[in-house]
Structure formats: C-alpha cells, structure tokens
Amino acid sequence: MRKPIIAGNWKMNKTAAECRELITALAPKVKDAKCDVVVCVPFTDIALAAELTKGTNIAVGAQNIAWADNGAFTGEISAAMLNEAGATYVIIGHSERRQYFGETDKTVNARLVQALKNGFNPIVCVGEMLAEREGGKTETVCRTQVVGAFEGITAEDAAKVVIAYEPVWAIGTGKTATDEQANETIGYIRSVVKELYGAKIADGMRIQYGGSMNAKNVDGLMAQDQIDGGLIGGASLKPDDFAYIVNAAK
Ligand code: 13P
C-alpha cells in the first residue's frame, strides 16, 4: 500500500505575512490527515513555514535546489541553505521551470542527484504540452523525462523519489485531465519506472497527479488505483480548499 501524498506548490505566491496567515489557518484543518502533507513555499518563506509547522503533521518543501554545493551561481539556493532553513522536500523540474527558465532533463537530473545526496524528499515533475498530447506523444515525452531525470540514480535512491505527473495543458487552466487520462498516464509512468528499477520499486513509488486539482475533482482522481496524491497549485493557496483535498486523500 502506498501512502498518499498531497503537496501544495505555492509557486511565486505569499509573502511572509501571508504565509503566516495561511499556515496558521491550515494546520488545525489537516491535523487528522491520513496522507503526507507538504507545503512547497517560496524560498523566502521556508524558515518561517518550518517554524510555524513545528509539532504539526505538515512538512515544508522548496520549489527548486541548486546542483552545486556552493559558489558562483547567482540566484540559486543550495542544499545546505534549504536544509538549514527547514525544508525537507523539494520540487524539481516543474514545467514552469522547464518552460520559462531553461530547465532540461540534464539539469533536472543534476538537481535530483544533489537533492538525494543531501537527504531531501524530491518531487520530480514530468508531463506533456498540449500539442504533444494532441500529437499522440504523451508517453514518449513522459518516458524521456523520467529516464532523463533518473539517469545514474541507484534503486535505493530512486525509492525515495515522488513523481508528479502534471500535463502542462492542465496547469492553471481549469482543465483537468479526466480521471482515466490521469490514471492511464500515471500507470504508464509506473511501467517506465518498472523497466528502470523493477516491480518492487515501481509498485512502491508514489506518483501524484497535478493540474487544476481541486476540491471538486479530488475524489474522482483519488479513486483511481494509480494516483497516489496530488501536487496542487492554485487550490493550495486557500486553506479550506487545500484542507478539503488533504482530507479526501486516504
Ligand atoms: P494548478 O493546480 O494551479 O493547476 O497548478 C498545478 C501545478 O503546477 C502544481 O505544481
């Protein structure tokens, strides 16, 4: 049995004051959750979020991690910095990083290696663009991204990774993949993990759905056998909506 994991990706939202408000409202609403609960906050909110979630069942994540230990990498944040600030999870290879900031399968792999080396719980994002789905390339794209991300990673380390399947056309658009589409592609991703690492790792790996997941569609998505939780954007910014999603994941 895989324990579901619901992670909020706040993206570039919430100042420290707003972070305090959101986490203070959220914590009591999710205290009896049956799934793992994570909030992936902007870098500047991590230390505060870690402080505010102390003694709760909410873990704090970052939205990126540098591949190098330190040095001349303007604008990057290192594993040691994230660790010191209190992050235990990290999102890697989000489609917005790939689309707007030149992230590639190679950089995703380098960041994943660094995250694992430093004991983080990585959430690696994969997913196709609309034209790719319409062109029948969904599986090829997901395969390439998974194989690229896991290049050189041992089975022992791979077992610590969560994959988020986020079809790019469903992100922030209000268009969710149907339950069946999401389940089918996640099942396919699991088969790629099986090819790479065998059945035991594949069956144990948690694979989330992401893309306009909300309080209205969570029940249908979570009822699918391949879907182990969600990576939630917009709906994670509202405590009631996010709490509803968390409490629906059992
Ligand atoms: P939305 O839930 O806003 O569509 O965002 C999904 C996402 O990109 C989470 O990483």
Side-chain angles (χ1 to χ4, degrees):
M1 275 301 280
R2 299 182 293 264
K3 188 178 187 190
I5 171 167
I6 299 290
N9 175 9
W10 291 8
K11 308 190 179 183
M12 196 176 72
N13 294 291
K14 303 291 175 188
T15 62
E18 293 164 340
C19 165
R20 180 181 294 280
E21 213 174 294
L22 176 44
I23 289 179
T24 308
L26 179 67
K29 295 182 201 287
V30 299
K31 67 177 182 7
D32 299 319
K34 302 287 183 290
C35 62
D36 287 337
V37 186
V38 187
V39 289
C40 297
V41 306
F43 292 126
T44 48
D45 290 344
I46 292 174
L48 175 64
E51 177 69 35
L52 292 169
T53 54
K54 223 174 251 165
T56 75
N57 56 336
I58 304 174
V60 176
Q63 298 171 16
N64 201 359
I65 182 170
W67 55 74
D69 288 338
N70 56 261
F73 297 96
T74 302
E76 290 285 305
I77 309 287
S78 75
M81 294 167 187
L82 296 179
N83 185 38
E84 187 180 66
T88 53
Y89 281 80
V90 61
I91 296 173
I92 297 172
H94 192 277
S95 64
E96 286 146 21
R97 302 289 326 161
R98 296 178 191 256
Q99 271 183 285
Y100 309 137
F101 302 99
E103 204 77 59
T104 64
D105 291 337
K106 267 209 149 28
T107 59
V108 168
N109 174 249
R111 294 184 198 278
L112 179 58
V113 167
Q114 180 73 346
L116 287 164
K117 193 177 96 184
N118 288 277
F120 287 90
N121 302 301
I123 300 176
V124 173
C125 303
V126 301
E128 82 286 0
M129 317 264 277
L130 182 59
E132 293 165 338
R133 173 154 290 260
E134 287 174 343
K137 298 205 183 89
T138 298
E139 295 193 346
T140 316
V141 170
C142 291
R143 163 180 294 274
T144 305
Q145 291 179 349
V146 170
V147 171
F150 283 90
E151 170 88 48
I153 287 172
T154 63
E156 193 192 340
D157 272 347
K160 299 169 190 154
V161 177
V162 172
I163 295 179
Y165 166 58
E166 300 204 305
V168 180
W169 48 272
I171 296 178
T173 57
K175 251 193 235 171
T176 335
T178 63
D179 301 344
E180 293 73 26
Q181 279 174 326
N183 197 53
E184 189 187 355
T185 308
I186 289 179
Y188 175 75
I189 291 168
R190 196 177 304 286
S191 77
V192 175
V193 175
K194 185 175 169 188
E195 277 174 42
L196 295 175
Y197 295 107
K200 190 156 173 261
I201 303 275
D203 289 343
M205 183 168 285
R206 296 186 294 178
I207 309 182
Q208 302 172 304
Y209 169 76
S212 298
M213 195 162 167
N214 58 40
K216 290 206 175 72
N217 57 31
V218 60
D219 292 309
L221 288 161
M222 286 309 299
Q224 304 296 313
D225 64 335
Q226 293 294 322
I227 303 179
D228 304 318
L231 186 56
I232 323 295
S236 74
L237 303 174
K238 298 175 209 140
D240 285 328
D241 289 27
F242 190 61
Y244 184 92
I245 296 167
V246 164
N247 292 318
K250 314 182 175 102

